[in-house]
Amino acid sequence: MKRVLQFLLPLPVALMAFSVLAASSDPGPSTAPASAAAPTSTPAPDLWPLAQRHRAVHRFSTLFTAQNVRQYLSSDARLREAIDWCKRTAVTKVYIEEFRGGYTADLATLTNARDAFRAAGIEASGCVTTTRVGKDSTGWKEIACYTDPQTQEKLKSVFEYAASLFDEIMIDDFWFTDCECPECKTARAARTVTIGGARYAVAGDTWEDYRSELMVQLSRHYILDAARKVNTKVKIIIKYPQWYDRFHERGYDVARETADFDRIWVGTETRDYTDQRWGGTVQYEGYFIMRWLGGLGGAKCGGGWFDPYGTTPATYIEQARQTVLAGARESMLFCYGSLQSGTGPKNIEALRANIPELFDVAAKVAHRHPAGIAAYKPASSHPDDEKVVFDFVGMLGLPLLPCHEFPARSRAAFFSVHALKDPGFAAKLQAFIKAGKPVLLTDGLVKALAGKVNLQAPSVHILSVKGDPKALLKLGQAHLDPLRAAMLKPLRIDFRAPNKTGLYLFADGSHVVENFNDEPIQIQNNGKSETIPPRGWAAHWK
């Protein structure tokens, strides 16, 4: 069963030029014919009953920042407008924030908004953004020095306050530190984290070691324990940013924090690759990080989170697609205030037109297991000069299956310098090669493995990254088709397509192709030709 879809826009939006957002004022298968690819002038259906029917498989949510609470939820009239907007956008859950940027939202306003949303049939949870908590970091001023005892106590009080109001609290992706003040340097040198008088040993003497231990212990004692003492039913969600290759530098320990927190969320905001302020991230990253952290978190991994900054309606919808294709159970639309201005209204108009299709794809994905070429990134692995190389490899039409453990049973695999985090990697790779399975290695990894692994085998292929992953987007189809043929042979797939094409495979033989180009592309899959519209996708479900 096949469905071909182009990016759908209500006609008034389709007829005007798309502006690029340079700044934000907010702190902070069915059997549709190929003609369905044309822009539609049909208004979006009543999305509220549709959202009710699909909420068990996938839901849309939004966030009201602490400042949004003050601006949009403090009067009954604006609160009613917000509820109406949510229902027209298929939003069945909201997160109402207690603290952000040093500002604490008013108790009465929070309580009234929470109860009003719930009375309207919309679930309501809390949120905390840990910016301007206390003593400023020597790095990014929005971030705090968490070595500082007074800042630690402020942090604790913020989560106690949130837990008194909600049984579920999301932490926005500023839960890290980059401080190098004298106090942090002393604690790092002493290899000791101190929290409320208790001392915890640090395994090493690097900033990575110190910050990881600091944030893990603070999470355990001044977020999780503190909140649970106020509310025994509270569940805390840690939302990870999309900059996964730098987590370890700023204290995100995804292995331990994922184990400690009740749930995890994933930043899938890729925006527009060419945007001057927000660009540089390719669309495939949303898929990769969602699948990678989903593997780490398992059932704890709830959803993806994307925003309107630096997007057009087309790239905004691509964020939604990547989130859904990666198996997210929830799509968080950050944030209500930003979606009321700039490109926000046009993005939401486009999203509403595409929501029925997104629900349909989410339902299909939910019942299928992903398949493809294993892409090994151990937790806290270092990218060296191959930062986010996985994102660019995925844009080449190579269907990646992200994993945090060595993929010994996979039929084909891609390895970059990230794999060197695994102390036993060389021996594992040698066994993988000996089994005759196709292997794609970056040139940086090949250099690091010199004299350690015998790479002289017909199943070994070298990807020339040259320390510049984005240059992979320049590879032509004449180079890519033979590479795909070799890597996908064990999967019995012969896929031919130009660059900037995403291929998503499922174990039952279903597949999706997405075109990230601004012009139509011609693809062949096992000899069957197909045209994919600009910024369109085609789904084939078994």
Side-chain angles (χ1 to χ4, degrees):
M1 189 173 294
K2 168 192 167 185
R3 182 154 192 171
V4 179
L5 270 200
Q6 192 179 17
F7 162 54
L8 298 181
L9 281 175
L11 190 59
V13 178
L15 295 178
M16 64 179 67
F18 299 144
S19 61
V20 176
L21 178 65
S24 166
S25 60
D26 191 87
S30 59
T31 56
S35 60
T40 178
S41 60
T42 304
D46 185 353
L47 297 177
W48 182 243
L50 187 68
Q52 299 301 314
R53 292 196 299 272
H54 284 83
R55 65 193 304 168
V57 175
H58 192 84
R59 62 159 20 117
F60 289 90
S61 61
T62 194
L63 169 70
F64 293 84
T65 68
Q67 291 76 11
N68 289 169
V69 170
R70 178 178 57 201
Q71 182 177 358
Y72 296 103
L73 304 183
S74 59
S75 74
D76 290 342
R78 302 212 77 178
L79 179 54
R80 286 193 298 270
E81 289 175 3
I83 291 172
D84 177 67
W85 182 94
C86 288
K87 290 189 173 184
R88 289 187 292 111
T89 315
V91 168
T92 55
K93 185 174 183 178
V94 296
Y95 296 83
I96 307 173
E97 193 172 70
E98 290 69 65
F99 180 92
R100 174 183 292 253
Y103 172 72
T104 301
D106 174 69
L107 176 62
T109 303
L110 288 167
T111 303
N112 182 59
R114 176 197 66 191
D115 296 347
F117 276 108
R118 289 175 177 173
I122 300 171
E123 293 184 36
S125 292
C127 185
V128 169
T129 297
T130 50
T131 49
R132 298 285 185 180
V133 176
K135 177 185 172 183
D136 288 344
S137 167
T138 58
W140 193 5
K141 296 305 179 186
E142 291 290 318
I143 305 304
C145 167
Y146 289 111
T147 300
D148 179 63
Q150 290 183 327
T151 301
Q152 293 179 3
E153 292 300 324
K154 174 63 176 179
L155 175 78
K156 181 180 178 183
S157 70
V158 166
F159 280 91
E160 290 171 338
Y161 179 57
S164 72
L165 290 162
F166 293 98
D167 292 339
E168 182 180 66
I169 304 164
M170 175 97 74
I171 307 176
D172 195 358
D173 59 12
F174 290 88
W175 181 228
F176 63 90
T177 187
D178 57 357
C179 188
E180 296 185 14
C181 72
E183 290 75 19
C184 285
K185 288 180 179 178
T186 298
R188 172 194 167 190
R191 295 171 63 164
T192 302
V193 163
T194 303
I195 298 172
R199 295 163 66 87
Y200 304 91
V202 178
D205 61 0
T206 66
W207 280 118
E208 176 182 338
D209 295 325
Y210 176 72
R211 290 169 180 162
S212 174
E213 195 65 37
L214 175 65
M215 303 310 285
V216 165
Q217 297 302 339
L218 270 174
S219 295
R220 289 173 178 173
H221 302 291
Y222 274 25
I223 293 181
L224 296 168
D225 288 352
R228 288 165 182 165
K229 286 178 181 178
V230 172
N231 181 353
T232 57
K233 297 184 295 182
V234 73
K235 304 296 183 185
I236 312 290
I237 303 168
I238 182 171
K239 183 249 176 173
Y240 293 116
Q242 45 84 228
W243 35 270
Y244 63 86
D245 255 350
R246 300 190 66 186
F247 283 173
H248 53 283
E249 297 175 9
R250 298 173 179 175
Y252 278 114
D253 187 328
V254 292
R256 289 195 288 170
E257 288 178 319
T258 298
D260 288 347
F261 280 88
D262 299 293
R263 298 173 187 131
I264 68 170
W265 238 246
V266 183
T268 55
E269 63 273 37
T270 53
R271 300 155 182 165
D272 192 324
Y273 182 70
T274 60
D275 185 80
Q276 291 185 354
R277 177 178 177 183
W278 301 95
T281 302
V282 290
Q283 297 92 325
Y284 193 86
E285 179 171 286
Y287 179 85
F288 180 85
I289 188 175
M290 190 78 225
R291 284 290 185 194
W292 180 65
L293 285 171
L296 272 159
K300 284 187 174 185
C301 189
W305 164 315
F306 51 91
D307 59 42
Y309 312 133
T311 62
T312 63
T315 51
Y316 187 75
I317 296 304
E318 285 170 345
Q319 294 181 128
R321 288 174 176 170
Q322 295 302 292
T323 303
V324 165
L325 282 171
R329 299 194 301 274
E330 183 173 319
S331 292
M332 155 73 84
L333 313 177
F334 183 88
C335 62
Y336 180 79
S338 292
L339 293 170
Q340 307 310 305
S341 60
T343 61
K346 292 178 185 176
N347 287 344
I348 290 301
E349 193 173 1
L351 179 68
R352 288 169 177 158
N354 283 266
I355 278 176
E357 175 70 13
L358 291 167
F359 274 141
D360 182 65
V361 172
K364 301 293 194 301
V365 170
H367 298 97
R368 290 171 169 82
H369 296 289
I373 301 166
Y376 182 35
K377 176 178 164 52
S380 301
S381 52
H382 295 208
D384 295 337
D385 60 357
E386 293 179 359
K387 183 181 176 184
V388 298
V389 67
F390 305 99
D391 307 349
F392 293 95
V393 171
M395 296 290 285
L396 306 181
L398 289 168
L400 300 185
L401 190 60
C403 56
H404 64 284
E405 297 177 339
F406 187 86
R409 297 183 178 180
S410 295
R411 291 178 283 177
F414 166 65
F415 298 107
S416 62
V417 295
H418 299 77
L420 298 172
K421 179 73 175 181
D422 180 350
F425 174 67
K428 295 173 185 176
L429 176 61
Q430 193 68 78
F432 199 94
I433 294 172
K434 187 176 181 180
K437 301 175 181 179
V439 175
L440 180 61
L441 308 175
T442 63
D443 51 353
L445 180 60
V446 170
K447 182 178 179 180
L449 292 174
K452 301 175 183 177
V453 179
N454 180 10
L455 302 178
Q456 301 303 311
S459 61
V460 176
H461 308 274
I462 312 301
L463 185 64
S464 181
V465 178
K466 298 179 180 178
D468 186 17
K470 66 178 180 295
L472 295 175
L473 296 179
K474 299 177 182 178
L475 294 177
Q477 186 170 347
H479 180 101
L480 295 175
D481 284 349
L483 177 61
R484 293 193 206 101
M487 294 302 299
L488 295 174
K489 186 176 181 180
L491 303 176
R492 298 182 179 179
I493 291 175
D494 179 18
F495 183 68
R496 304 182 185 191
N499 210 318
K500 301 180 184 178
T501 302
L503 176 62
Y504 310 84
L505 303 180
F506 297 90
D508 69 346
S510 298
H511 72 276
V512 176
V513 181
E514 185 160 10
N515 176 15
F516 298 114
N517 293 278
D518 291 321
E519 59 279 333
I521 61 170
Q522 191 74 19
I523 67 105
Q524 280 191 9
N525 190 12
N526 288 343
K528 296 182 180 180
S529 296
E530 184 174 13
T531 300
I532 312 295
R535 302 286 180 174
W537 60 349
H540 299 259
W541 306 107
K542 296 291 186 179

